[in-house]
Amino acid sequence: MTGQTLFFPFTHITRDQRDIVSTFFQEFSCLPPEYLESAQPQALEYIEWAKIHKGNEHNLKALLKGTPYFTSDTHISSIKSQIKGVQDKEEKVQKSAKEIFENDLLFLTMAGLSDEQYEQIDLELKALDKSRETLLKELRGIENSLEASKDEKAAAPRDSGEVMTKERVSAWFNCMGAQNALNPDGKTNLFVTTSPAVFDYFETNCSDVVNALDIDQIKVHENKCKVKIEWQHQLKKYLMKAIKGEGNQKEDLPEAMDECRRSGQIKMGLFSGGMINLLLNDSDKHMAVCLINLKR
């Protein structure tokens, strides 16, 4: 039975990510934003602290070394106390499940804010590039401008998954697991990402990896194409068959038989053992992870 299509491990979905995922899948789920609201005030406090103490990053790095989840004592006063050495560095407190959940939410909130800021920077840079291209057309004429830029390719979107990959994946699965969102009652969830770094992390850290699908060039539909939804439905069925080892990869692949010009790539791995046991809290389950992207 078919479960959810879960986009991970991000909490801020960029325009590029939304465009990619919505091209391949009609519907997808992610960590509900309302879960992150409770951690936002604490995250904003941390940001304010960082602004006040800009230039004192050395002490901050020493404080946070080995604690990627920002620990439960992230209030400004607590951070100041730790830097001053007031608290005992050797003190170890057993965290409750609630504390771990809150810490993970805080981490994901901070990661999401960072991703949002970087996206804004990228959008501003793209706007500058567009202005530059317009200026070139005006100065050299349309024909010469196109000739000058014909070999230039659009820059690939920033891969946020390269930053603290392990921590992002662990925190995301912990939070989803705490909400019972990873137990589909016999159904097979499809975990989808646009991050090559995240997919590589699974390939590196799982004891059993099966390459279920690897298609470098697949024609996809434009967003306004009238047959897009049916194609997406057929693609989902195709992926579920690939997970079960059924069908023929080449013959059963749904084709976009129209004038749509977009194309993408899709890779799917079946992962089990190693860290999968911890992420799913089950030693007998495997995970289907799908890496998707659009050709630029």
Side-chain angles (χ1 to χ4, degrees):
M1 297 177 67
T2 303
Q4 300 181 81
T5 299
L6 298 173
F7 178 66
F8 83 110
F10 306 103
T11 50
H12 170 71
I13 304 178
T14 67
R15 295 183 189 180
D16 283 325
Q17 289 172 333
R18 188 174 297 277
D19 183 32
I20 294 169
V21 181
S22 62
T23 296
F24 286 90
F25 301 100
Q26 182 182 1
E27 297 178 346
F28 65 93
S29 301
C30 52
L31 184 66
E34 60 264 26
Y35 294 150
L36 301 171
E37 290 178 1
S38 61
Q40 267 212 325
Q42 206 170 9
L44 293 175
E45 274 192 338
Y46 178 86
I47 292 173
E48 286 303 313
W49 182 94
K51 288 180 180 178
I52 294 172
H53 294 82
K54 187 175 182 180
N56 196 24
E57 290 85 355
H58 176 73
N59 287 338
L60 179 61
K61 289 180 180 179
L63 167 65
L64 297 180
K65 185 178 180 181
T67 58
Y69 301 108
F70 296 105
T71 73
S72 59
D73 298 324
T74 49
H75 190 276
I76 291 178
S77 60
S78 297
I79 293 175
K80 289 179 179 177
S81 297
Q82 290 182 54
I83 288 182
K84 292 177 181 178
V86 174
Q87 294 188 359
D88 183 7
K89 294 182 180 179
E90 299 300 323
E91 182 182 5
K92 294 183 180 180
V93 180
Q94 184 67 36
K95 294 183 178 65
S96 66
K98 182 175 182 294
E99 287 177 315
I100 294 174
F101 175 67
E102 291 175 347
N103 291 340
D104 287 340
L105 280 183
L106 177 59
F107 173 79
L108 291 175
T109 301
M110 295 294 296
L113 290 172
S114 175
D115 293 343
E116 186 176 5
Q117 291 172 354
Y118 275 116
E119 180 190 21
Q120 187 58 41
I121 293 173
D122 287 342
L123 290 174
E124 291 174 1
L125 289 175
K126 287 179 181 178
L128 287 174
D129 287 341
K130 188 173 182 180
S131 298
R132 172 180 172 274
E133 182 180 352
T134 301
L135 181 60
L136 284 174
K137 288 180 180 179
E138 293 175 351
L139 293 175
R140 303 179 183 176
I142 295 178
E143 184 175 347
N144 289 339
S145 177
L146 292 176
E147 179 67 24
S149 61
K150 67 179 181 179
D151 293 330
E152 295 182 5
K153 295 183 179 180
R158 183 192 306 271
D159 185 1
S160 300
E162 292 181 346
V163 181
M164 300 187 79
T165 311
K166 175 182 177 181
E167 290 77 12
R168 284 179 184 263
V169 171
S170 178
W172 189 90
F173 274 90
N174 285 344
C175 288
M176 291 291 283
Q179 303 303 317
N180 295 318
L182 299 177
N183 301 311
D185 297 325
K187 297 180 180 179
T188 301
N189 282 334
L190 179 61
F191 295 90
V192 175
T193 188
T194 55
S195 169
V198 169
F199 195 87
D200 289 345
Y201 174 72
F202 275 81
E203 287 187 314
T204 303
N205 292 279
C206 295
S207 58
D208 190 9
V209 181
V210 176
N211 183 13
L213 194 64
D214 193 351
I215 302 175
D216 185 61
Q217 188 86 9
I218 178 175
K219 188 177 180 184
V220 299
H221 289 282
E222 307 287 348
N223 286 332
K224 295 182 180 180
C225 182
K226 61 182 180 180
V227 295
K228 177 181 177 180
I229 294 179
E230 176 58 27
W231 178 84
Q232 289 175 327
H233 177 69
Q234 294 299 324
L235 177 66
K236 186 69 178 290
K237 290 177 61 177
Y238 171 78
L239 294 176
M240 290 300 107
K241 285 185 177 180
I243 291 174
K244 298 175 183 177
E246 301 174 353
N248 184 288
Q249 283 194 16
K250 294 183 179 180
E251 295 179 3
D252 295 340
L253 180 66
E255 297 184 18
M257 303 295 290
D258 54 24
E259 296 181 356
C260 292
R261 297 182 178 181
R262 299 191 91 179
S263 62
Q265 55 188 134
I266 184 168
K267 183 177 182 180
M268 185 167 67
L270 305 181
F271 302 97
S272 58
M275 71 174 190
I276 299 299
N277 299 343
L278 299 175
L279 296 180
L280 298 181
N281 196 27
D282 192 319
S283 60
D284 296 326
K285 287 186 177 180
H286 70 268
M287 181 189 303
V289 179
C290 195
L291 172 67
I292 54 174
N293 270 298
L294 294 175
K295 294 288 187 177
R296 303 276 166 184

